[in-house]
Amino acid sequence: ADTIIIGLGGMGSAVAYQLARRKQRVVGLEKFGPAHNRGSSHGGSRIIRQAYYEHPAYVPLLLRAYELWRDIDQLSGQSLLSITGGLMIGSSDEGVFQGSLQSAEDHQLPHEVLNAAQLQARFPAFRPQADTVALLEKAAGFLHPERSIQAFLDQATRFGADLHFFEPALQWQVLPDGSGVQVITQQATYEAERLIISPGAWASELLADIGIPFQVERIAQFWMAPTNGFTNFQSARFPIFLWEIEDNIKLYGFPAMDDGTRGVKVAIYPTEQWCTPETINRTVSPEEIAGMRQILQTYIPELNSDCLKTITCMHTFSPDDHFIVAHHPQHKNVIVAAGFSAHGFKFASVIGEILADLAITGQTNHPIDLFASTRFAAET
Ligand SMILES: Cc1cc2nc3c(=O)[nH]c(=O)nc-3n(C[C@H](O)[C@H](O)[C@H](O)COP(=O)(O)OP(=O)(O)OC[C@H]3O[C@@H](n4cnc5c(N)ncnc54)[C@H](O)[C@@H]3O)c2cc1C
């Protein structure tokens, strides 16, 4: 093969599609089944937004990501991307609101600023405090992560990629003469010119030699049944939102969906529940549900209600919360996509394109200096 991909989650499935479409011979290896729920890319919905408070460098990538999401949406005939608008709620002087407003102004993204009374009048489920403000970003919405991954995998296969599920990579190495790479699984030994490693929460295991301390955080997601029915939770009245309820503590959620996922999904982060994919407690306790309901009572009281479903998920942080999308610092035929630091899914479409560029030509026209794999070594 030309390229082996280890990990066919959000990023790995996207690059499998990009490479296969560009006529590369691809072998993909995945530890679990297609679009599974053991990693970081499941739970029915992921926020996508453009007014990025995290860093201005992400905005051009996001604009391209939207184009590529629309492409795969069309190609697959699926509805992967839903634009609902998005509310970035908080206090006016700093944090999520201020950063998002700055980004919306700098990049001339369509938006409105709402005070607490306007917020509550238009979006009646929310209970803002008097000094709360909100940015309404018009282009925000959500993606369906499992369907997106399945669409990438289907298209990759259609273009000839050879994808193997339930076949974890046990070991990888660069051949001693530097001519290629080798990956060993229980079933076979694969060789190729190059390797892409997109390991999600398994980064420490597969990238032990890269010298980057990844941290994995356990997150619980909750699906609530509103006390007064779903009227106030349709997307026009309840778009995606990210609410900084306390300094750096964020409550976020999605409108009710008609895809069989019953309930209104909400979650809170950071939790600082550090774990590994082996040690994570995948059960959400009654105490956690009670804690979530207590928070909802203050901010969205109709969701202090029955919890229909819960699931856990893992965030994988790099030391500076920016991605690592680059050549491996020691091996020029190994490419790494890791450390998506709780905000990666919306970029999967464009990360796939970037990784394919790096694999085929060794470089990309996309701005990825922020994502260098050597940046942590340089600091110490
Ligand atoms: C609760 C939660 C909410 C989030 N909300 C958002 C959001 O609203 N918007 C947003 O943009 N981002 C969000 N994120 C972050 C985003 O989902 C992640 O950044 C993204 O999904 C990471 O994709 P990935 O490909 O790195 O990991 P994954 O999709 O987990 O893929 C990694 C894959 O590698 C496989 N693998 C591991 N080891 C091996 C091996 N040895 N051999 C073969 N395969 C292997 C795994 O099985 C897995 O399939 C959220 C994350 C969580 C957990």
Side-chain angles (χ1 to χ4, degrees):
D2 298 312
T3 305
I4 300 171
I5 303 168
I6 301 179
L8 298 173
M11 308 304 158
S13 64
V15 66
Y17 156 64
Q18 286 283 346
L19 284 171
R21 209 195 56 172
R22 296 194 218 171
K23 302 193 165 58
Q24 295 280 304
R25 290 167 304 163
V26 176
V27 170
L29 299 172
E30 167 56 48
K31 189 180 178 84
F32 298 109
H36 64 88
N37 65 7
R38 313 290 291 172
S40 305
S41 301
H42 58 279
S45 49
R46 286 289 182 274
I47 292 176
I48 183 164
R49 56 193 163 85
Q50 294 178 354
Y52 229 58
Y53 61 84
E54 287 88 340
H55 195 285
Y58 289 96
V59 178
L61 295 177
L62 277 164
L63 298 176
R64 180 65 178 150
Y66 270 73
E67 287 179 4
L68 291 168
W69 284 120
R70 292 199 168 98
D71 285 354
I72 186 73
D73 215 298
Q74 273 204 336
L75 199 60
S76 66
Q78 298 251 6
S79 176
L80 306 173
L81 170 64
S82 298
I83 302 301
T84 62
L87 290 164
M88 304 299 131
I89 313 173
S91 70
S92 59
D93 40 340
E94 55 180 2
V96 166
F97 168 82
Q98 193 53 48
S100 303
L101 177 61
Q102 187 72 51
S103 179
E105 285 174 347
D106 290 351
H107 298 277
Q108 300 182 331
L109 306 173
H111 68 278
E112 280 177 60
V113 174
L114 309 176
N115 63 26
Q118 293 165 326
L119 175 63
Q120 200 174 338
R122 279 174 67 179
F123 305 103
F126 296 112
R127 285 288 175 281
Q129 286 159 352
D131 59 349
T132 299
V133 285
L135 174 87
L136 175 61
E137 184 198 332
K138 302 291 169 70
F142 64 88
L143 293 157
H144 195 294
E146 291 92 339
R147 276 200 244 138
S148 300
I149 291 174
Q150 193 62 58
F152 285 137
L153 296 173
D154 289 346
Q155 293 303 321
T157 304
R158 189 166 77 88
F159 285 107
D162 178 19
L163 307 181
H164 300 248
F165 296 93
F166 301 105
E167 189 173 343
L170 302 176
Q171 212 185 307
W172 64 267
Q173 63 168 24
V174 174
L175 295 173
D177 62 359
S179 64
V181 296
Q182 187 184 66
V183 179
I184 299 174
T185 73
Q186 198 137 45
Q187 285 85 344
T189 297
Y190 300 91
E191 289 189 2
E193 276 179 36
R194 60 191 91 81
L195 174 62
I196 295 174
I197 305 179
S198 42
W202 287 262
S204 299
E205 187 181 309
L206 281 159
L207 298 169
D209 60 340
I210 201 175
I212 299 174
F214 294 100
Q215 274 194 295
V216 177
E217 183 185 35
R218 173 185 180 274
I219 299 288
Q221 303 199 291
F222 304 79
W223 281 258
M224 312 305 292
T227 48
N228 298 323
F230 285 94
T231 319
N232 279 345
F233 296 91
Q234 304 304 319
S235 59
R237 303 187 121 202
F238 195 80
I240 67 101
F241 69 93
L242 185 59
W243 191 338
E244 192 163 18
I245 56 176
E246 276 170 46
D247 198 17
N248 199 35
I249 305 284
K250 291 157 199 131
L251 171 69
Y252 66 92
F254 300 82
M257 296 182 198
D258 348 302
D259 64 349
T261 325
R262 295 176 60 234
V264 176
K265 190 176 89 170
V266 290
I268 202 155
Y269 75 101
T271 63
E272 300 190 355
Q273 295 173 8
W274 307 115
C275 65
T276 71
E278 283 69 46
T279 64
I280 182 173
N281 178 358
R282 293 184 186 267
T283 308
V284 177
S285 70
E287 291 73 26
E288 288 178 275
I289 295 172
M292 180 50 115
R293 288 184 56 163
Q294 204 178 348
I295 291 167
L296 290 166
Q297 175 58 38
T298 305
Y299 297 96
I300 315 173
E302 284 174 70
L303 295 184
N304 175 14
S305 58
D306 287 344
C307 182
L308 302 171
K309 177 180 149 183
T310 57
I311 203 163
T312 61
C313 178
M314 293 178 283
H315 289 157
T316 307
F317 291 96
S318 77
D320 62 5
D321 294 357
H322 297 304
F323 311 156
I324 292 139
V325 180
H327 290 278
H328 189 293
Q330 282 104 49
H331 309 295
K332 70 177 187 342
N333 43 8
V334 179
I335 296 161
V336 175
F340 287 92
S341 303
H343 62 122
F345 197 85
K346 64 182 80 62
F347 295 92
S349 61
V350 69
I351 297 295
E353 180 168 83
I354 291 169
L355 293 170
D357 290 346
L358 294 178
I360 297 170
T361 69
Q363 54 186 30
T364 181
N365 292 327
H366 288 292
I368 59 165
D369 290 352
L370 189 63
F371 307 148
S373 60
T374 48
R375 66 188 189 270
F376 306 108
E379 278 167 18
T380 52

